[in-house]
Amino acid sequence: MKFSLRRRLILTHLFLLLVVTVAAGLIITYELQRYYKSRLLQQLQTQLDGIEFFLETASFSFDQDRLNYEQLVGFARASQLRITLIDSAGIVVFESGLPQDSLRFIENHLWRPEVQMALQNGVGSAERLSATVHQRLFYAAKKVRLRGNKTGLLDRMRIIRLAIPLVTVEQALKEIRWNIFVSGGVALLLIGLVSFWASSKLTAPIQELARVAESVKKGDLEAHFKHYSDDEIGELADLLNEMLAKLRDDLKQMRKLETMRTQFLGNVSHELRTPIFAVQGYLETLLEGRVENEQTKRSFLEKTYRQAERLNNLLTDLIDISRIESGEMQMSFRYFDPQDWLAKQVADLQARAQEYNVTLSLVKPKFPRAISVLGDRERLTQVIINLADNAIKYNLPGGKVEIGYREKRESVEIFVADTGRGIPLEHLSRIFERFYRVDKERSRAVGGTGLGLAIVKHIVEAHDSKVKVQSEIGKGSIFSFVLKKK
């Protein structure tokens, strides 16, 4: 059986109240019982002193035990007390509740607890069921020795004992216990009602949170957790709203990534299909012997080689961007001289620039000095090659490409500038997307994979930097980024 939080709270409150009521009843009963018996003992001790004084001062007939016995019985009845007189051997010499001739049937009282205590301490008390009158009695005994000339039973007496029924005390305690439990029952009812109200008020926001959470579980991401109060439940609602907002963002990001993945797979398929079909077509033509002219055969082989080279470049770029985005490609940061590094890149790219009739040069600061920048030299070389290769391929015949650096206060700006056609403004925000091309036909014609700038963006961002682009139609473009200097 499932117990709700409200039911558990109510049952817990009722259980605690029940335990407290029962414990309080037992403790109060015990303390009251002890208090009554203490007061009863004090009262009986006072009466014992009074009886002792009476026996010492009253006039009794000499050698007339029966007459004296009857007088004492009358005194006990008038005092509403049960009086017992016991000698030093424990023999009962007087019992106000029995005639004198019945005393011989009473068992010896020497080892009664109250008698032993009185013999040892002067005063004793006990509580038990009387074998004589068959009632539960409270006994108080006192050790005495009467002064003066006493004869008969008074001369033999050494212990005075009083007994009083405990019915009155037990009845009073019974009424107190009853009152306590009745009050506890009323309190249980009231607490139950208050607990029901309080638990309902407390659990209502939690139930509402659970209801909203259930709707979120079913896919309603537009749900909202209401802030009911400035307490832990309110804080929980705020926290859940923050988590839900993050979930919405994550879901949007996942959908965006899924869209990008779908587009990426489509682009990859398209990019791979083109060179593969081209290679397949050229080879099929050659294998079937349709081309007999040697010059034409060589042309077909050269085209096949270029398509195979394009395919290889595409696969290489796909592997690189996949490793970068998955975090598999680790960066190794070291300090190095930017001038020597860029000079080497310019030298390696000269043949490429000459192929496209473009002038490639290194631009140095007006007042160069020895500096060091922090970065992964190998990956940054890939960045410069991609930027410079684009600047060369998409330039105009006789154009210029400049690679250089500028020193700033806390960084060094690396740039690649060209005098090419420029990039239209509407394309600038998308040129770093994978497979995005400003001029698709020209890009494929020069062997572009559409992934170069995406790779550049990822590598530069791994250096806590960002690629900036300045471009003007008919004048050219400048790509730049900064590196930390030593």
Side-chain angles (χ1 to χ4, degrees):
M1 180 179 179
K2 182 180 179 181
F3 283 90
S4 63
L5 177 60
R6 180 175 63 183
R7 183 175 297 179
R8 288 201 296 268
L9 287 173
I10 294 173
L11 292 178
T12 300
H13 291 162
L14 294 179
F15 174 74
L16 291 176
L17 181 60
L18 180 63
V19 171
V20 170
T21 301
V22 172
L26 294 176
I27 293 172
I28 292 174
T29 301
Y30 172 77
E31 292 297 329
L32 285 175
Q33 186 174 354
R34 190 175 68 169
Y35 171 75
Y36 276 129
K37 290 180 181 178
S38 175
R39 291 295 302 273
L40 188 60
L41 178 59
Q42 292 177 6
Q43 180 182 350
L44 292 177
Q45 286 178 343
T46 301
Q47 290 175 337
L48 284 171
D49 294 338
I51 293 172
E52 181 183 7
F53 178 77
F54 168 75
L55 294 176
E56 283 185 343
T57 58
S59 297
F60 291 95
S61 300
F62 291 102
D63 298 324
Q64 295 186 28
D65 278 352
R66 180 170 294 278
L67 178 59
N68 293 341
Y69 194 94
E70 294 299 330
Q71 287 180 309
L72 285 175
V73 170
F75 171 77
R77 288 176 180 173
S79 303
Q80 295 183 344
L81 296 172
R82 182 186 170 191
I83 303 174
T84 305
L85 303 181
I86 306 169
D87 67 9
S88 58
I91 298 173
V92 177
V93 297
F94 175 78
E95 171 58 61
S96 63
L98 295 174
Q100 188 175 14
D101 54 7
S102 299
L103 293 179
R104 66 178 180 275
F105 300 110
I106 300 177
E107 63 182 8
N108 191 285
H109 280 36
L110 179 63
W111 298 106
R112 300 293 169 88
E114 67 276 8
V115 175
Q116 286 294 314
M117 289 177 63
L119 291 174
Q120 295 176 11
N121 305 323
V123 178
S125 63
E127 175 186 340
R128 66 179 177 275
L129 180 67
S130 172
T132 305
V133 297
H134 305 292
Q135 286 184 323
R136 189 165 182 80
L137 302 176
F138 185 82
Y139 297 94
K142 182 178 181 182
K143 181 180 179 181
V144 297
R145 187 177 183 86
L146 300 181
R147 294 184 293 255
N149 295 323
K150 302 296 180 182
T151 60
L153 62 88
L154 296 180
D155 183 51
R156 295 164 53 197
M157 178 192 66
R158 292 294 179 269
I159 299 292
I160 302 174
R161 190 185 73 174
L162 295 179
I164 185 171
L166 288 174
V167 176
T168 305
V169 176
E170 291 178 345
Q171 184 63 32
L173 293 175
K174 184 178 179 180
E175 292 180 2
I176 291 173
R177 281 194 295 267
W178 173 252
N179 291 333
I180 289 174
F181 291 128
V182 169
S183 301
V186 174
L188 278 174
L189 179 61
L190 293 177
I191 291 296
L193 294 175
V194 173
S195 179
F196 178 82
W197 174 81
S199 59
S200 298
K201 188 174 181 62
L202 178 64
T203 57
I206 299 177
Q207 291 175 342
E208 179 63 19
L209 292 178
R211 186 190 65 77
V212 176
E214 182 66 24
S215 64
V216 172
K217 176 184 175 183
K218 293 179 180 178
D220 183 12
L221 295 181
E222 299 304 320
H224 180 75
F225 295 94
K226 295 182 180 179
H227 185 107
Y228 286 93
S229 55
D230 295 327
D231 55 13
E232 288 82 356
I233 295 178
E235 293 177 0
L236 177 60
D238 292 339
L239 180 60
L240 290 174
N241 282 326
E242 292 177 7
M243 293 175 61
L244 189 56
K246 188 175 185 301
L247 181 61
R248 293 192 195 102
D249 292 341
D250 289 344
L251 186 59
K252 290 178 182 177
Q253 185 66 19
M254 288 176 61
R255 289 172 177 169
K256 181 179 178 181
L257 291 175
E258 180 64 22
T259 302
M260 292 175 61
R261 187 183 71 86
T262 303
Q263 293 176 348
F264 178 72
L265 290 176
N267 290 330
V268 168
S269 299
H270 178 72
E271 293 293 334
L272 289 175
R273 188 181 295 113
T274 301
I276 289 175
F277 282 173
V279 169
Q280 185 179 6
Y282 293 144
L283 293 178
E284 184 179 355
T285 301
L286 292 173
L287 288 173
E288 291 180 357
R290 299 177 185 174
V291 180
E292 296 181 358
N293 186 283
E294 292 298 326
Q295 186 176 358
T296 304
K297 287 182 179 180
R298 182 173 180 83
S299 175
F300 270 46
L301 290 173
E302 289 175 351
K303 291 178 179 179
T304 302
Y305 176 79
R306 284 197 296 271
Q307 292 296 335
E309 185 179 29
R310 177 186 171 190
L311 186 61
N312 180 65
N313 292 337
L314 178 60
L315 291 175
T316 301
D317 285 351
L318 283 173
I319 293 172
D320 284 346
I321 199 166
S322 176
R323 292 179 61 200
I324 292 172
E325 292 183 348
S326 66
E328 183 182 349
M329 182 180 288
Q330 300 296 324
M331 301 291 170
S332 178
F333 293 93
R334 297 288 189 274
Y335 284 102
F336 59 91
D337 185 341
Q339 183 171 323
D340 291 345
W341 168 61
L342 291 177
K344 184 178 185 307
Q345 307 314 313
V346 170
D348 292 342
L349 289 165
Q350 286 296 342
R352 186 69 164 170
Q354 291 173 7
E355 179 183 349
Y356 283 85
N357 191 23
V358 171
T359 301
L360 175 64
S361 61
L362 175 66
V363 178
K364 302 177 182 178
K366 291 183 180 181
F367 305 101
R369 65 188 187 94
I371 57 173
S372 296
V373 294
L374 180 64
D376 186 322
R377 182 165 177 162
E378 180 180 353
R379 298 305 167 198
L380 290 173
T381 297
Q382 190 174 358
V383 169
I384 295 299
I385 291 175
N386 280 341
L387 292 177
D389 190 61
N390 285 344
I392 293 170
K393 289 188 301 184
Y394 301 111
N395 212 318
L396 297 173
K400 295 181 180 179
V401 174
E402 294 180 341
I403 300 177
Y405 69 95
R406 300 184 187 93
E407 185 178 359
K408 297 187 175 182
R409 179 175 297 181
E410 296 180 356
S411 61
V412 173
E413 182 183 36
I414 311 295
F415 64 88
V416 176
D418 66 70
T419 59
R421 296 176 174 81
I423 303 171
L425 182 62
E426 64 270 19
H427 294 288
L428 284 177
S429 61
R430 302 191 60 188
I431 59 175
F432 293 101
E433 295 178 10
R434 292 172 295 187
F435 296 113
Y436 188 82
R437 294 180 173 90
V438 176
D439 187 343
K440 296 182 180 180
E441 296 303 324
R442 180 172 174 79
S443 177
R444 290 193 177 95
V446 297
T449 64
L451 294 173
L453 289 181
I455 294 173
V456 166
K457 175 177 177 289
H458 283 298
I459 295 177
V460 171
E461 287 179 349
H463 287 73
D464 293 328
S465 186
K466 185 176 181 181
V467 182
K468 294 182 180 180
V469 184
Q470 294 176 320
S471 186
E472 187 175 350
I473 299 298
K475 291 187 178 181
S477 305
I478 302 175
F479 287 77
S480 63
F481 59 91
V482 297
L483 296 175
K484 295 178 183 178
K485 72 175 181 180
K486 190 173 183 180

